Amino acid sequence: MHYLRYLGRLLAEIGAYARRNKAWWLVPLVIVMLVLGLLIVTGQAAAPFIYTLF
Amino acid sequence: MSTASRQVWNWRDDTPTRRREAAVARLRRTGLVGGVVALVAGTVLNLVLGHVIVGRLLVTLGALQTMAALWRPHLLASPLRWLQRFGQLVGAGLAWLLLTPLWLLVFVPVGWWLRLRRRDPLHRAPLAAGLTAWIPRRRSSDAASAARQFQDEDREARELERPECALPAPELLAEVDDAGGPSA
Amino acid sequence: MNILGISAYYHDSAACLLQDGRLVAAAQEERFTRRKHDAAFPRHALRYCLAEGGVSRDAVDAVVFYDKPVTKFVRILKTAFAVAPRGLPTFVQAVPTWMRRKLWIPAEIATELDRAGAGRCGRVLFTEHHEAHAASAFFASPFENAAILTLDGVGEWATSSLSAGRGNRLRLLEEIHFPHSLGLLYSAFTYFCGFRVNSGEYKLMGLAPYGEPRYEHTIREHLIDLREDGSFRLNLDYFDYLGGLRMTNARFADLFDGPPRTAESALTRRECDLARSIQAVTEDAVLRMARHAHRATGDRRLCLAGGVALNCVANGRVLREGPFDELWIQPAAGDAGGAVGAALHAWHQLEGGDRVLDGQDRMAGAYLGPAFSDADIAAWLDARDYSYTTLGAGELERDAARRIAAGEVVGLFQGRMEFGPRALGNRSIVGDARSPRMQSVLNLKIKYRESFRPFAPSVLAERAHECFDLDAPSPYMLLTAPVARERWTETKDEPFDDIIATVNQVRSDIPAVTHVDQSARIQTVHAETNPRYHRIISEFAELTGCPTVINTSFNVRGEPIVCTPSDAYRCFMRTEMDTLVLGNHVLEKSAQPAWNEDGDWRDDLPLD
C-alpha cells in the first residue's frame, strides 16, 4: 500500500522529534492514535459490507 | 491554446453532459469494486467458512450490484449514497467510541497531574509587570531543519524574563548582517 | 531550478511555482474548485502551475510545504492536555483528520505530483509557518534590507514574529506564542459580532467607523495585556477556542452586554462599538510592534504579512504614524501567500539564490494566475452562439470607459488572474465612482447583498493625490487613506438605526468609494503592471475628469472570484451586469440568448 512506504518516514520523524526535544511521551501516543485512526478508517470503509452482512 | 489555459478549461468548463458522464463512470467503478468484493467475500463465507445463508445472501447482493454496475449504473446512485452516508456515520461513531477511552485514560489524568504540579504547557499565566512577552529565537533554521516536519523547541527561551522593550540580542542580528549585503 | 510552494489543509489552499527564483505562477485552489476558502490539497492549482511553467516529467527539484505538521500536531496535543477534561469534542474531531491526512503530507505530495504527470519530486521541505509568511513579505518585496512583522491566528506555536531581512538572508528574532494571538483575538470579535471566522474579519473592520470605541478600555483591562513593545498576553478565561468549538464563552458575553449576535440578524450599535473598539486595540498593538521592530533592527523599511496584515486600516496608520519610511505588504498576506513564502525561503535562504533588486516587487502586480487568449475566448463564444463584438487595442479601452461613464456596470475579464484575496482589474466589476446610486446598484443587483461597506477605488497611480491623501503606492488595495479634503461634501448625520442609509449618504464627489469616516481602501493602478486597466481609467478620466473608478471583485456573494471566461459569463448572466469585457471581446447583456438554470443557483453558495 502506498501509505505504508511513508509510515516509516512518519515514525522516524516522530522519533526524531521525541529524541531532540526530550518528548518521549509522543511516541506511544502517536502509535496508539495511528492504530485507532486505522480502525476508524477501516470501519468507515467496511461499514457497507458489515451492513450487508448483518 | 496554451497548455496552461487548456488545462484550466478542461477542469472548469464542465457541461451538464460531461458532469453526468463522469458521475456514471464513478458509479460504475465504485459499484463494480463493491460488487466483486461482496461476491468474493460471499463465496469465501459460503465455501470455506461454512456460513451458507449469509454467504448466499452476500453472493446474491454482490451479483446484483455487479450487474447493475455493468448495465444500469445510475440505479446504484441512491443506494451507494446511502451506504456512504452510513459509512460516515459509522466512522464518526467509531471515532467517539475509540477516542473517548484514550481521552479518559490518558488526557484527563495527565491534565490533572499537570495542574497539580502547576505546570501549564500553554503558558497562560499573566505576565509580571515590566517584562516583555516577546520570546527570543535563539536558534536559526537551516537546510537540515527544513527537511524535518518539526521544529526544535527552545523551552528555556519561553521562561526567560526579559524587561519590556528589551532589544533582541545583537548576535542574532549579526548573523544576517554578516551574510547580507551592505545597508541600503 | 523548479521549486513548488504549497499551502493546504487550513484555509485558502494554494500552490506556486518558482523557476530559478522567478515567481512564474501562483493560484488559490478555490478558484478552480469554485468552493470559497477551499482547504483541500491544491491539486488543481498545482497542475496549473506546472503547466504554466512548462515543467517536464521528473523536473521538480523541491516541493516546500508552508508549515511543520508534527510541531502543529504536538501543539494540538499539548492544548488537549492543558484543557482536559474539557475539549473532548474538539479532540474527537481533530484526531481522525490528523491521522488520515495532515500527518501524511510527503505521501500526499508524491501522489499528487505523480497524478499531475510531474513524476518524482526531488525533495520535500517544510518551512515554519511564520518563516513562510516572513519570506513572502521580505523576499517578494523591493527592499534590500527591512524589518519584517508577521501577524496571524496561529502557525505552529508562533502567532506573531519579528525578523530582520538582509539581502538574500532572513533571520527570525522574536516571537509570541499560542494561545496569545492578535489574529485569534480579532477573530473572536468577528465571531461574537455574528460574522464568519476567517472571512468576516473584513466586515468587522468595515463596521468599525460606524461605532465608538466605548469597549476599548474593557478590552485592555480584561482581555489583552498589551506591553509598550507591542508584545501581549491574552486572558484565556474569556475565550473558548482552546477547548470548545466556539471562539468566546459566557464570561466574554457578560463583559460585552449579552450573547453573541446571531448571523444575518440586524446589526446594532453594540456590534459597531465592539468593532471600533477591537480595531482601535489592534491598530495600537500593530503600531507598538512596528516601533519595536524599528528599534530592534534599525531599518527604515518594513514588510508585513500574515492574516492581520490584511487589516488595511491598521496598515494605513503604520504608514502614516509609524517610524518607517516605506512599507510593503505581501498581497496574499493570508495563508495562500504562505505557499509563495515557502518557495522563496527555499530559493534564497537554503539555495542561496540572489535577489533581483530593481525597485519593483517580485509579485508582478499579483497577476500570477491563468490567462486566456482572445482566439480561445472567441472560439468558446462562437461554439455557444453568444453574441459579441471584437475591438482593437485602444478602441476597447475607450469603449469600456465610455460605458462606465454612462453608468453601466462592466465586468472586466482580461489577462492573468490575481493571486490573493483582492481583484485588481483583471477579474473585476467596474463602475462609476462619481455616481451616488452606484453603491446600491452594485450591492443589490450584482452582488446580491446589503453591505455597510463602500466599494474600493482603483485610481491612476500618478493621479492618486488628486483624490486621496496618500503619498505611497498601494497596488494591492492594502492601505486605506482619507479622501482628499477638497472632494468632501457637507453631510448631515443620519440617525443610527438605518446603517445602509448611512453608508449610502453622499460624503464626497466620489461617494461610492467613500466610507463614513471619509476613508477609502485604495488600489493604485500602474501602467507597468496592468497597462490595459490603466488605459481604461485614463480614458475614463479623459471623459469625466475623474481618475478613479469603483473596483469590486468579479463574483457574487459566497462565490470565489471568477477564474475562466465561462465562470465570468455565468456570473455575468446571473446578475444584472450590463456589459462583459472578455479579453478583446465586448458582450452586451441585451444581446445574449436567454439564460436558463435549474433551481436557484444562490442556494448552492454558502453565506460568507
Side-chain angles (χ1 to χ4, degrees), chain C residues 263-292:
Chain C
E264 303 299 307
S265 65
L267 283 161
T268 66
R269 173 144 293 285
R270 179 184 73 150
E271 282 83 52
C272 299
D273 292 346
L274 280 169
R276 176 72 184 270
S277 308
I278 188 61
Q279 181 64 30
V281 172
T282 306
E283 287 167 21
D284 185 30
V286 177
L287 268 170
R288 287 185 195 202
M289 280 190 193
R291 290 190 197 106
H292 176 66

mmCIF file of all heavy atoms in Angstrom, chain C residues 263-292:
data_model
loop_
_atom_site.group_PDB
_atom_site.id
_atom_site.type_symbol
_atom_site.label_atom_id
_atom_site.label_comp_id
_atom_site.label_asym_id
_atom_site.label_seq_id
_atom_site.Cartn_x
_atom_site.Cartn_y
_atom_site.Cartn_z
ATOM 1 N N ALA C 263 -25.923 35.262 13.264
ATOM 2 C CA ALA C 263 -25.575 35.629 11.892
ATOM 3 C C ALA C 263 -26.805 36.138 11.150
ATOM 4 O O ALA C 263 -27.915 35.641 11.361
ATOM 5 C CB ALA C 263 -24.996 34.417 11.175
ATOM 6 N N GLU C 264 -26.620 37.138 10.309
ATOM 7 C CA GLU C 264 -27.665 37.681 9.436
ATOM 8 C C GLU C 264 -28.743 38.478 10.169
ATOM 9 O O GLU C 264 -29.663 38.975 9.548
ATOM 10 C CB GLU C 264 -28.350 36.585 8.601
ATOM 11 C CG GLU C 264 -27.406 35.766 7.734
ATOM 12 C CD GLU C 264 -26.651 36.591 6.697
ATOM 13 O OE1 GLU C 264 -27.314 37.313 5.946
ATOM 14 O OE2 GLU C 264 -25.419 36.515 6.675
ATOM 15 N N SER C 265 -28.667 38.575 11.517
ATOM 16 C CA SER C 265 -29.663 39.413 12.199
ATOM 17 C C SER C 265 -29.214 40.874 12.090
ATOM 18 O O SER C 265 -28.105 41.158 11.646
ATOM 19 C CB SER C 265 -29.794 38.989 13.664
ATOM 20 O OG SER C 265 -28.584 39.242 14.350
ATOM 21 N N ALA C 266 -30.105 41.784 12.521
ATOM 22 C CA ALA C 266 -29.795 43.204 12.346
ATOM 23 C C ALA C 266 -28.580 43.613 13.176
ATOM 24 O O ALA C 266 -28.380 43.114 14.283
ATOM 25 C CB ALA C 266 -31.004 44.036 12.772
ATOM 26 N N LEU C 267 -27.781 44.488 12.613
ATOM 27 C CA LEU C 267 -26.614 44.996 13.335
ATOM 28 C C LEU C 267 -27.059 46.100 14.277
ATOM 29 O O LEU C 267 -27.852 46.957 13.909
ATOM 30 C CB LEU C 267 -25.597 45.551 12.345
ATOM 31 C CG LEU C 267 -24.768 44.507 11.600
ATOM 32 C CD1 LEU C 267 -24.153 45.109 10.357
ATOM 33 C CD2 LEU C 267 -23.698 43.932 12.505
ATOM 34 N N THR C 268 -26.570 46.059 15.509
ATOM 35 C CA THR C 268 -26.938 47.095 16.466
ATOM 36 C C THR C 268 -25.714 47.950 16.788
ATOM 37 O O THR C 268 -24.601 47.658 16.354
ATOM 38 C CB THR C 268 -27.468 46.475 17.775
ATOM 39 O OG1 THR C 268 -26.390 45.773 18.394
ATOM 40 C CG2 THR C 268 -28.609 45.513 17.502
ATOM 41 N N ARG C 269 -25.993 48.989 17.565
ATOM 42 C CA ARG C 269 -24.901 49.881 17.961
ATOM 43 C C ARG C 269 -23.802 49.118 18.688
ATOM 44 O O ARG C 269 -22.628 49.412 18.553
ATOM 45 C CB ARG C 269 -25.472 50.992 18.856
ATOM 46 C CG ARG C 269 -24.426 51.873 19.451
ATOM 47 C CD ARG C 269 -24.818 53.313 19.577
ATOM 48 N NE ARG C 269 -25.009 54.038 18.330
ATOM 49 C CZ ARG C 269 -24.043 54.471 17.534
ATOM 50 N NH1 ARG C 269 -22.791 54.174 17.783
ATOM 51 N NH2 ARG C 269 -24.315 55.145 16.450
ATOM 52 N N ARG C 270 -24.190 48.067 19.459
ATOM 53 C CA ARG C 270 -23.190 47.316 20.200
ATOM 54 C C ARG C 270 -22.128 46.733 19.268
ATOM 55 O O ARG C 270 -20.936 46.854 19.516
ATOM 56 C CB ARG C 270 -23.858 46.173 20.983
ATOM 57 C CG ARG C 270 -22.832 45.348 21.769
ATOM 58 C CD ARG C 270 -23.443 44.154 22.471
ATOM 59 N NE ARG C 270 -23.799 43.105 21.518
ATOM 60 C CZ ARG C 270 -23.808 41.810 21.820
ATOM 61 N NH1 ARG C 270 -23.474 41.419 23.032
ATOM 62 N NH2 ARG C 270 -24.170 40.933 20.924
ATOM 63 N N GLU C 271 -22.552 46.093 18.176
ATOM 64 C CA GLU C 271 -21.585 45.477 17.261
ATOM 65 C C GLU C 271 -20.661 46.537 16.651
ATOM 66 O O GLU C 271 -19.464 46.320 16.502
ATOM 67 C CB GLU C 271 -22.295 44.688 16.149
ATOM 68 C CG GLU C 271 -22.815 43.340 16.578
ATOM 69 C CD GLU C 271 -24.164 43.442 17.272
ATOM 70 O OE1 GLU C 271 -25.089 44.064 16.708
ATOM 71 O OE2 GLU C 271 -24.296 42.930 18.397
ATOM 72 N N CYS C 272 -21.254 47.688 16.304
ATOM 73 C CA CYS C 272 -20.432 48.755 15.732
ATOM 74 C C CYS C 272 -19.383 49.219 16.738
ATOM 75 O O CYS C 272 -18.214 49.414 16.399
ATOM 76 C CB CYS C 272 -21.304 49.933 15.319
ATOM 77 S SG CYS C 272 -22.511 49.499 14.068
ATOM 78 N N ASP C 273 -19.826 49.366 18.003
ATOM 79 C CA ASP C 273 -18.890 49.832 19.029
ATOM 80 C C ASP C 273 -17.830 48.775 19.323
ATOM 81 O O ASP C 273 -16.667 49.105 19.566
ATOM 82 C CB ASP C 273 -19.657 50.209 20.299
ATOM 83 C CG ASP C 273 -20.530 51.440 20.084
ATOM 84 O OD1 ASP C 273 -20.323 52.126 19.060
ATOM 85 O OD2 ASP C 273 -21.413 51.707 20.912
ATOM 86 N N LEU C 274 -18.253 47.511 19.324
ATOM 87 C CA LEU C 274 -17.274 46.439 19.528
ATOM 88 C C LEU C 274 -16.233 46.446 18.407
ATOM 89 O O LEU C 274 -15.032 46.326 18.654
ATOM 90 C CB LEU C 274 -17.980 45.077 19.547
ATOM 91 C CG LEU C 274 -18.666 44.683 20.852
ATOM 92 C CD1 LEU C 274 -19.538 43.447 20.632
ATOM 93 C CD2 LEU C 274 -17.637 44.406 21.940
ATOM 94 N N ALA C 275 -16.722 46.598 17.170
ATOM 95 C CA ALA C 275 -15.812 46.596 16.019
ATOM 96 C C ALA C 275 -14.810 47.745 16.137
ATOM 97 O O ALA C 275 -13.609 47.563 15.954
ATOM 98 C CB ALA C 275 -16.612 46.712 14.720
ATOM 99 N N ARG C 276 -15.332 48.917 16.487
ATOM 100 C CA ARG C 276 -14.462 50.085 16.606
ATOM 101 C C ARG C 276 -13.433 49.886 17.723
ATOM 102 O O ARG C 276 -12.260 50.237 17.594
ATOM 103 C CB ARG C 276 -15.322 51.326 16.875
ATOM 104 C CG ARG C 276 -14.557 52.593 17.120
ATOM 105 C CD ARG C 276 -13.927 53.115 15.837
ATOM 106 N NE ARG C 276 -13.117 54.298 16.114
ATOM 107 C CZ ARG C 276 -13.588 55.544 16.091
ATOM 108 N NH1 ARG C 276 -14.850 55.763 15.788
ATOM 109 N NH2 ARG C 276 -12.809 56.558 16.356
ATOM 110 N N SER C 277 -13.893 49.271 18.819
ATOM 111 C CA SER C 277 -13.008 49.105 19.973
ATOM 112 C C SER C 277 -11.886 48.119 19.666
ATOM 113 O O SER C 277 -10.718 48.393 19.954
ATOM 114 C CB SER C 277 -13.806 48.608 21.183
ATOM 115 O OG SER C 277 -14.919 49.433 21.402
ATOM 116 N N ILE C 278 -12.220 46.972 19.091
ATOM 117 C CA ILE C 278 -11.187 45.976 18.828
ATOM 118 C C ILE C 278 -10.261 46.472 17.719
ATOM 119 O O ILE C 278 -9.059 46.208 17.726
ATOM 120 C CB ILE C 278 -11.782 44.576 18.517
ATOM 121 C CG1 ILE C 278 -10.679 43.522 18.445
ATOM 122 C CG2 ILE C 278 -12.566 44.551 17.220
ATOM 123 C CD1 ILE C 278 -9.894 43.335 19.710
ATOM 124 N N GLN C 279 -10.830 47.252 16.791
ATOM 125 C CA GLN C 279 -9.992 47.823 15.734
ATOM 126 C C GLN C 279 -8.963 48.785 16.346
ATOM 127 O O GLN C 279 -7.790 48.758 15.988
ATOM 128 C CB GLN C 279 -10.884 48.537 14.700
ATOM 129 C CG GLN C 279 -10.136 49.161 13.535
ATOM 130 C CD GLN C 279 -9.411 48.147 12.664
ATOM 131 O OE1 GLN C 279 -9.834 47.003 12.537
ATOM 132 N NE2 GLN C 279 -8.289 48.554 12.081
ATOM 133 N N ALA C 280 -9.421 49.586 17.312
ATOM 134 C CA ALA C 280 -8.509 50.541 17.954
ATOM 135 C C ALA C 280 -7.386 49.811 18.683
ATOM 136 O O ALA C 280 -6.212 50.182 18.587
ATOM 137 C CB ALA C 280 -9.294 51.423 18.932
ATOM 138 N N VAL C 281 -7.753 48.726 19.395
ATOM 139 C CA VAL C 281 -6.737 47.971 20.128
ATOM 140 C C VAL C 281 -5.751 47.327 19.149
ATOM 141 O O VAL C 281 -4.531 47.350 19.355
ATOM 142 C CB VAL C 281 -7.407 46.896 21.023
ATOM 143 C CG1 VAL C 281 -6.373 45.983 21.642
ATOM 144 C CG2 VAL C 281 -8.250 47.565 22.103
ATOM 145 N N THR C 282 -6.284 46.762 18.072
ATOM 146 C CA THR C 282 -5.423 46.108 17.078
ATOM 147 C C THR C 282 -4.453 47.111 16.463
ATOM 148 O O THR C 282 -3.258 46.838 16.339
ATOM 149 C CB THR C 282 -6.286 45.479 15.967
ATOM 150 O OG1 THR C 282 -7.235 44.615 16.587
ATOM 151 C CG2 THR C 282 -5.454 44.679 14.997
ATOM 152 N N GLU C 283 -4.978 48.265 16.073
ATOM 153 C CA GLU C 283 -4.115 49.283 15.477
ATOM 154 C C GLU C 283 -3.009 49.682 16.445
ATOM 155 O O GLU C 283 -1.841 49.812 16.061
ATOM 156 C CB GLU C 283 -4.930 50.520 15.087
ATOM 157 C CG GLU C 283 -5.805 50.275 13.867
ATOM 158 C CD GLU C 283 -6.842 51.385 13.666
ATOM 159 O OE1 GLU C 283 -6.645 52.498 14.197
ATOM 160 O OE2 GLU C 283 -7.845 51.121 12.977
ATOM 161 N N ASP C 284 -3.396 49.835 17.716
ATOM 162 C CA ASP C 284 -2.392 50.219 18.709
ATOM 163 C C ASP C 284 -1.320 49.138 18.829
ATOM 164 O O ASP C 284 -0.119 49.431 18.859
ATOM 165 C CB ASP C 284 -3.096 50.454 20.054
ATOM 166 C CG ASP C 284 -2.123 50.968 21.104
ATOM 167 O OD1 ASP C 284 -1.154 51.651 20.713
ATOM 168 O OD2 ASP C 284 -2.311 50.673 22.293
ATOM 169 N N ALA C 285 -1.756 47.869 18.881
ATOM 170 C CA ALA C 285 -0.796 46.768 19.012
ATOM 171 C C ALA C 285 0.151 46.741 17.810
ATOM 172 O O ALA C 285 1.374 46.614 17.970
ATOM 173 C CB ALA C 285 -1.537 45.440 19.131
ATOM 174 N N VAL C 286 -0.402 46.886 16.610
ATOM 175 C CA VAL C 286 0.439 46.819 15.403
ATOM 176 C C VAL C 286 1.418 47.998 15.381
ATOM 177 O O VAL C 286 2.602 47.835 15.061
ATOM 178 C CB VAL C 286 -0.436 46.785 14.132
ATOM 179 C CG1 VAL C 286 0.430 46.791 12.888
ATOM 180 C CG2 VAL C 286 -1.325 45.550 14.125
ATOM 181 N N LEU C 287 0.933 49.181 15.784
ATOM 182 C CA LEU C 287 1.816 50.352 15.817
ATOM 183 C C LEU C 287 2.958 50.171 16.817
ATOM 184 O O LEU C 287 4.112 50.485 16.531
ATOM 185 C CB LEU C 287 1.012 51.599 16.191
ATOM 186 C CG LEU C 287 0.462 52.390 15.009
ATOM 187 C CD1 LEU C 287 -0.518 53.445 15.486
ATOM 188 C CD2 LEU C 287 1.614 53.057 14.247
ATOM 189 N N ARG C 288 2.615 49.639 17.997
ATOM 190 C CA ARG C 288 3.666 49.407 19.008
ATOM 191 C C ARG C 288 4.680 48.387 18.500
ATOM 192 O O ARG C 288 5.884 48.539 18.705
ATOM 193 C CB ARG C 288 3.042 48.894 20.306
ATOM 194 C CG ARG C 288 2.289 49.963 21.067
ATOM 195 C CD ARG C 288 1.803 49.402 22.386
ATOM 196 N NE ARG C 288 0.806 50.276 22.969
ATOM 197 C CZ ARG C 288 0.512 50.300 24.263
ATOM 198 N NH1 ARG C 288 1.134 49.482 25.089
ATOM 199 N NH2 ARG C 288 -0.410 51.109 24.721
ATOM 200 N N MET C 289 4.179 47.330 17.843
ATOM 201 C CA MET C 289 5.097 46.331 17.291
ATOM 202 C C MET C 289 5.993 46.954 16.241
ATOM 203 O O MET C 289 7.187 46.648 16.160
ATOM 204 C CB MET C 289 4.304 45.192 16.647
ATOM 205 C CG MET C 289 3.780 44.188 17.633
ATOM 206 S SD MET C 289 3.151 42.775 16.721
ATOM 207 C CE MET C 289 2.275 41.942 18.007
ATOM 208 N N ALA C 290 5.413 47.816 15.423
ATOM 209 C CA ALA C 290 6.199 48.459 14.374
ATOM 210 C C ALA C 290 7.312 49.306 14.993
ATOM 211 O O ALA C 290 8.459 49.277 14.544
ATOM 212 C CB ALA C 290 5.302 49.314 13.490
ATOM 213 N N ARG C 291 6.985 50.046 16.057
ATOM 214 C CA ARG C 291 8.018 50.869 16.705
ATOM 215 C C ARG C 291 9.110 49.984 17.293
ATOM 216 O O ARG C 291 10.300 50.283 17.193
ATOM 217 C CB ARG C 291 7.385 51.734 17.803
ATOM 218 C CG ARG C 291 6.514 52.832 17.211
ATOM 219 C CD ARG C 291 6.096 53.841 18.286
ATOM 220 N NE ARG C 291 4.969 54.599 17.775
ATOM 221 C CZ ARG C 291 3.714 54.443 18.184
ATOM 222 N NH1 ARG C 291 3.424 53.598 19.163
ATOM 223 N NH2 ARG C 291 2.749 55.150 17.644
ATOM 224 N N HIS C 292 8.679 48.862 17.887
ATOM 225 C CA HIS C 292 9.648 47.927 18.465
ATOM 226 C C HIS C 292 10.532 47.347 17.353
ATOM 227 O O HIS C 292 11.759 47.239 17.516
ATOM 228 C CB HIS C 292 8.912 46.814 19.213
ATOM 229 C CG HIS C 292 9.812 45.753 19.749
ATOM 230 N ND1 HIS C 292 10.729 45.997 20.742
ATOM 231 C CD2 HIS C 292 9.944 44.435 19.425
ATOM 232 C CE1 HIS C 292 11.390 44.868 21.016
ATOM 233 N NE2 HIS C 292 10.937 43.905 20.223
#
